[in-house]
Amino acid sequence: MKLYTRILSVLLLFVAFSFANITQDSSVNRFDKLNDLAVTDNSTIAATADSSALNSTDSAAASKITTGKKRAVWIKLEGDVEPSMYDFCARAIADALKENPDYIVFEINTFGGRLDAAFDLVDTIMAVKGPETIALVKKKAISAGSLIALACKKLYMLEATTIGDCAPIVQGGDGTPQIVGEKIQSPLRAKFRNLAQRNGYPELLSSSFVTPELEVLELTAKLDKGKKTERDTTLIIEGQKYAVLDSAEKKFWGAPKILVKKGELLTMTDKEAMELGFSKGTFKDRSEFETTLAIENAREVETTLGEDIASAIAAISGILLILGFGALYIEFKTPGFGLFGIIGIILVAIVFLGQFAPQLDGYIPAILLVAGVVLFLVEIFVMPGTFLFGIGGIICMIIALAMSFSPAEMPEFVPETVETSFDATPWLFGLLYMLCCAAIALVFPIAASKYLIPLLPEGWTPMLKEDLETAASPTEAVQEVNVGDVGLAKTFLRPVGQASFTMPDGSTKLFDVQTHGEIIEANTPVKVESVQEGHIWVGAANE
């Protein structure tokens, strides 16, 4: 009898489980039908036992504390996304891989920038093998910054930060920004989908970073309601696909929650990024982030001088181009070639050659030295008397001297700092040492030309030994010229040159003249404006 009772109990249990499976299958079939309409992305369809877990803002709960100590290399990506940022990032990644760290952390703070530079940067990050790439949004990752952030395998954010809005824009004819057409949006959307599929981010929501026409809804329902296996389920779906559902399916899911409105772009706070499955955790600061990920040894890749110069030039490139082309336009409108032409060429050259600054990092002092010499030659032979190029040459050479100075190569009598705090003493001694070297470099040529070179035998010295006390100037005394006299420029006045004037007796005499900054071509009539302290000031004569 006991045997029959056990057999009957087993049969009853089997029937009960079978009935439960049939009931569950009816609910699952309805859910599977909607799967055919929704985006097939595992990251956007989630079954959760407790919906409150999605609203948790505790970074320790959102991020698993890694066991064991880890090593990380930090790479800061701040400012506009430009080719200079890509050059720095590529070099920094190469340096980081040499250390074989556990993590490469990209600290992001940018409003975006050029799309071509962002694509190159994303491809470089995605090509990293070995270390886990992590994006930490410091303040904002907007536009191209969000694309760079999703290129990393994991995304974390600091408190009160934002990410999103990556629609490419151009300036319209009326000066207002406009979103570009489908030809640019399509490959950008494909890039976001590729990153989402590769790194496990919500694919449909990633596309809404780019497409303002895309409406995204969140549907929630309960499966196995009233049973022990009861659970919540969430479905992310396009607004267009929700609209074609029948009334029974809409009743099953209930009223949808709008995640992204039509006509808007997805931009999220740190909390929203966690709730929607982008961010793995939110932290107060970098220290808490490193503690949570068990990072014990962290090193930051510093930018080189060439990269800093390239970044600075990129930041003001628009202003430099405007000033450069403006100077060239003025030069085009004035006769001859002078100051504005040289300034325009220099400014435009700075913009276009600035992108090569990272590759010329070790040669910058030599380049500045050569530039200083060139400016001096321009001052002497092309634009004498302006002093602008001479001062520029001196500044370039001083900067080159300062950049070539290395505290490690200072003489032994200069003390070294041994304290953990900053000590300015070595730098003060270094500055004094530089000034002494500069003074010697200035005094020695003057003393040599006055006392040593004249002692050389005839033919070995470049200096004249004749007495110049009786030498006469080819120009006449300024007392013979009066204000209002009209003469003829014999040389190019830039602004110093020579002009001839007709004397009362009918003879013609040559005088040294100078303009008030005006450039006058040769054989142009000039008029004396003033005679002061041995200088004749002239201007173009009105015909």
Side-chain angles (χ1 to χ4, degrees):
M1 187 64 180
K2 292 182 178 181
L3 179 60
Y4 292 129
T5 303
R6 291 179 180 178
I7 293 174
L8 182 60
S9 300
V10 171
L11 291 175
L12 290 174
L13 287 173
F14 178 78
V15 172
F17 276 113
S18 299
F19 180 79
N21 286 336
I22 293 173
T23 305
Q24 181 177 350
D25 289 340
S26 62
S27 299
V28 173
N29 287 337
R30 179 177 295 175
F31 182 70
D32 289 340
K33 183 177 180 181
L34 284 177
N35 273 346
D36 295 334
L37 296 172
V39 177
T40 57
D41 184 2
N42 293 333
S43 60
T44 59
I45 302 174
T48 58
D50 185 6
S51 60
S52 63
L54 289 174
N55 298 323
S56 174
T57 59
D58 187 358
S59 60
S63 304
K64 294 182 179 180
I65 298 180
T66 310
T67 58
K69 301 301 181 181
K70 303 294 184 180
R71 294 187 303 114
V73 175
W74 287 74
I75 299 176
K76 286 187 177 181
L77 302 178
E78 293 188 316
D80 293 337
V81 179
E82 298 282 352
S84 58
M85 177 183 285
Y86 164 69
D87 292 335
F88 161 68
C89 186
R91 179 190 63 82
I93 290 175
D95 291 346
L97 291 176
K98 295 177 182 177
E99 302 184 18
N100 193 26
D102 298 290
Y103 304 125
I104 296 181
V105 184
F106 297 90
E107 189 177 33
I108 301 174
N109 179 24
T110 177
F111 273 117
R114 289 177 50 172
L115 192 60
D116 57 343
F119 270 49
D120 292 339
L121 211 155
V122 165
D123 292 338
T124 303
I125 294 176
M126 293 176 64
V128 174
K129 304 295 183 183
E132 186 174 36
T133 55
I134 295 177
L136 178 65
V137 180
K138 181 181 179 181
K139 291 182 180 179
K140 54 192 174 295
I142 304 300
S143 191
S146 61
L147 186 68
I148 297 170
L150 297 191
C152 299
K153 295 179 181 177
K154 288 184 179 180
L155 170 65
Y156 296 91
M157 303 177 70
L158 298 184
E159 292 181 350
T161 56
T162 55
I163 183 174
D165 185 0
C166 193
I169 60 174
V170 293
Q171 188 173 8
D174 57 352
T176 58
Q178 298 178 357
I179 298 178
V180 298
E182 183 66 17
K183 188 175 182 63
I184 301 298
Q185 288 191 35
S186 180
L188 186 57
R189 270 198 307 271
K191 196 69 172 179
F192 268 103
R193 291 198 303 270
N194 177 262
L195 296 177
Q197 295 166 2
R198 181 186 179 97
N199 298 325
Y201 297 112
E203 184 177 338
L204 185 59
L205 288 172
S206 298
S207 298
S208 64
F209 280 5
V210 184
T211 313
E213 299 83 9
L214 180 62
E215 182 184 32
V216 183
L217 306 177
E218 180 184 51
L219 306 178
T220 56
K222 289 185 179 294
L223 295 179
D224 298 343
K225 192 172 182 179
K227 301 179 181 179
K228 292 183 178 181
T229 56
E230 179 181 329
R231 62 192 184 275
D232 292 332
T233 184
T234 302
L235 177 66
I236 308 297
I237 189 173
E238 292 184 40
Q240 292 180 347
K241 294 182 178 180
Y242 176 78
V244 302
L245 298 180
D246 56 36
S247 57
E249 291 165 337
K250 290 182 178 179
K251 182 178 180 181
F252 172 77
W253 288 104
K257 176 183 178 182
I258 301 177
L259 297 181
V260 184
K261 293 181 180 180
K262 186 176 182 179
E264 295 182 358
L265 295 169
L266 177 61
T267 303
M268 303 173 290
T269 65
D270 54 292
K271 295 181 179 179
E272 292 168 345
M274 274 187 59
E275 294 172 357
L276 296 178
F278 285 93
S279 175
K280 301 296 182 182
T282 300
F283 303 94
K284 294 180 179 179
D285 50 31
R286 173 173 167 173
S287 177
E288 183 181 1
F289 168 79
E290 291 182 341
T291 301
T292 304
L293 270 69
I295 298 175
E296 184 181 45
N297 185 7
R299 185 185 73 85
E300 184 175 322
V301 180
E302 301 290 344
T303 57
T304 63
L305 177 62
E307 290 165 347
D308 290 336
I309 292 176
S311 178
I313 292 175
I316 60 173
S317 60
I319 298 176
L320 293 179
L321 283 176
I322 292 174
L323 294 176
F325 286 118
L328 291 175
Y329 176 78
I330 296 175
E331 181 63 33
F332 178 75
K333 288 294 185 178
T334 55
F337 182 80
L339 177 64
F340 290 105
I342 295 174
I343 292 177
I345 292 174
I346 291 175
L347 293 178
V348 174
I350 288 174
V351 173
F352 288 100
L353 298 179
Q355 55 188 311
F356 299 103
Q359 289 78 22
L360 301 175
D361 182 65
Y363 302 97
I364 290 178
I367 294 173
L368 288 175
L369 182 61
V370 172
V373 174
V374 171
L375 290 175
F376 257 114
L377 294 177
V378 171
E379 175 70 30
I380 295 173
F381 297 105
V382 181
M383 303 290 292
T386 59
F387 301 106
L388 176 64
F389 296 99
I391 294 173
I394 293 174
I395 292 175
C396 287
M397 285 189 266
I398 291 176
I399 295 175
L401 176 63
M403 291 175 59
S404 62
F405 167 72
S406 175
E409 299 176 358
M410 290 172 55
E412 295 182 356
F413 60 81
V414 179
E416 296 182 358
T417 178
V418 294
E419 301 177 2
T420 56
S421 59
F422 177 75
D423 185 7
T425 303
W427 295 100
L428 293 176
F429 274 98
L431 179 61
L432 178 61
Y433 177 69
M434 289 174 54
L435 293 177
C436 291
C437 292
I440 293 173
L442 179 64
V443 172
F444 179 76
I446 298 175
S449 63
K450 187 173 183 179
Y451 299 106
L452 297 179
I453 296 179
L455 299 178
L456 295 175
E458 190 71 28
W460 291 81
T461 173
M463 301 179 63
L464 295 175
K465 292 188 176 182
E466 287 80 3
D467 189 1
L468 299 180
E469 290 182 358
T470 59
S473 171
T475 59
E476 302 295 335
V478 298
Q479 290 82 3
E480 301 183 48
V481 179
N482 299 312
V483 175
D485 290 349
V486 177
L488 188 66
K490 289 297 184 180
T491 64
F492 215 127
L493 305 184
R494 302 182 178 176
V496 178
Q498 294 179 342
S500 63
F501 293 88
T502 303
M503 298 293 100
D505 59 0
S507 62
T508 301
K509 292 186 179 182
L510 196 64
F511 294 87
D512 288 329
V513 296
Q514 183 174 354
T515 70
H516 292 281
E518 182 183 4
I519 298 175
I520 301 177
E521 288 188 339
N523 299 320
T524 301
V526 294
K527 184 178 181 180
V528 178
E529 297 179 346
S530 63
V531 180
Q532 298 176 350
E533 299 178 355
H535 294 281
I536 301 175
W537 298 89
V538 300
N542 296 324
E543 297 181 358

